[in-house]
């Protein structure tokens, strides 16, 4: 069981990801800013059901914060367009 979520907010200069993967009774979570070194944490549980339950809770929390499902790499036109639009907005917002 695995999920990859992204959060893009051009106005706040936010372009981050969060992923989670359940393997047996371990839940591995990785997060960070897209294009930068990520952080990782492994949660160990007594059984696989506890790991799956925590996985679902964390995914629900992230989605309530505005994260949406994606792929680990940019593979769709809409994601590319969102990133280009975010860069354009940042250039407007940041006077040089």
């Amino acid at each position: 069981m695995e999920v990859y979520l992204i959060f893009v907010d051009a106005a706040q200069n936010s372009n981050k990801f969060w992923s989670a993967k359940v393997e047996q009774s371990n839940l591995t979570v990785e997060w960070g800013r897209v294009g930068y070194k990520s952080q990782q944490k492994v949660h160990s549980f007594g059984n696989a059901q506890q790991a799956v339950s925590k996985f679902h809770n964390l995914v629900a929390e992230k989605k309530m914060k505005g994260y949406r499902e994606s792929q680990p790499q940019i593979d769709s036109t809409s994601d590319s367009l969102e990133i280009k639009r975010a860069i354009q907005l940042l250039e407007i917002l940041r006077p040089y």
Side-chain angles (χ1 to χ4, degrees), residues 12 22 50 54 58 61 63 73 89:
Q12 298 295 319
V22 174
Q50 290 173 328
K54 183 68 171 179
L58 290 174
E61 284 178 21
K63 286 184 175 181
Q73 67 279 350
L89 289 171

Side-chain angles (χ1 to χ4, degrees), residues 85-96:
R85 181 69 181 139
I87 291 169
Q88 289 172 344
L89 289 171
L90 288 172
E91 289 171 351
I92 292 168
L93 294 172
R94 281 196 259 161
Y96 290 98

Side-chain angles (χ1 to χ4, degrees), residues 2-95:
E2 187 172 7
V3 69
Y4 187 87
L5 306 175
I6 60 168
F7 181 84
V8 177
D9 182 347
Q12 298 295 319
N13 190 24
S14 185
N15 184 19
K16 51 192 175 179
F17 74 92
W18 182 89
S19 68
K21 183 177 188 177
V22 174
E23 295 177 306
Q24 298 170 359
S25 62
N26 292 323
L27 170 62
T28 303
V29 179
E30 188 173 357
W31 68 94
R33 187 171 172 87
V34 173
Y36 291 85
K37 185 176 167 112
S38 63
Q39 296 181 9
Q40 187 178 68
K41 183 172 184 177
V42 177
H43 302 270
S44 296
F45 296 92
N47 60 53
Q49 183 55 40
Q50 290 173 328
V52 169
S53 178
K54 183 68 171 179
F55 171 89
H56 288 299
N57 288 340
L58 290 174
V59 169
E61 284 178 21
K62 290 295 179 183
K63 286 184 175 181
M64 286 192 320
K65 291 180 180 179
Y67 282 77
R68 61 184 180 85
E69 289 192 41
S70 185
Q71 299 296 322
Q73 67 279 350
I74 296 173
D75 63 356
S76 71
T77 307
S78 64
D79 287 340
S80 297
L81 291 175
E82 285 182 34
I83 292 170
K84 287 178 185 176
R85 181 69 181 139
I87 291 169
Q88 289 172 344
L89 289 171
L90 288 172
E91 289 171 351
I92 292 168
L93 294 172
R94 281 196 259 161

